[in-house]
Amino acid sequence: RRIGADVALAEDDANIDAEEQEEALRKKEDKSRAVVLEMLGDLPTADIAAPDNVLFVCKLNPVTDDEDLELIFSRFDPNARAEIIRDPDTGDSLCY
């Protein structure tokens, strides 16, 4: 027999509203994903987090360069910096 996703497993869960339950579920899922990435070797530790002032951008055009992104984001922060991640062997953009 399965327990439904909306069933409170602890007494504390019964006293929080749906929005708080959704947030708690999201945090548990994020932690699970981080643990999987740690096991796969993609993260040095599951407790690692990016600094608050870092924005990850992906699916960039391969011809986009650092200066292009700095120009775009300088509208929002004059001190914005951008670094496109490149292949260490070829120097080609990895598009993020």
Side-chain angles (χ1 to χ4, degrees), residues 2-17:
R2 295 184 133 189
I3 297 174
D6 58 341
V7 175
L9 296 179
E11 207 173 289
D12 294 340
D13 290 345
N15 297 327
I16 59 176
D17 63 20

Side-chain angles (χ1 to χ4, degrees), residues 36-85:
V36 169
L37 289 174
E38 180 182 13
M39 289 189 294
L40 293 174
D42 288 346
L43 281 179
T45 175
D47 297 324
I48 196 168
D52 290 335
N53 62 348
V54 172
L55 176 66
F56 176 80
V57 181
C58 62
K59 296 187 179 183
L60 294 172
N61 188 311
V63 299
T64 303
D65 61 19
D66 298 347
E67 292 79 22
D68 296 334
L69 290 178
E70 287 176 3
L71 179 65
I72 292 167
F73 288 110
S74 66
R75 304 180 13 188
F76 306 102
D77 181 358
N79 299 319
R81 293 179 308 141
E83 178 186 357
I84 294 179
I85 307 302

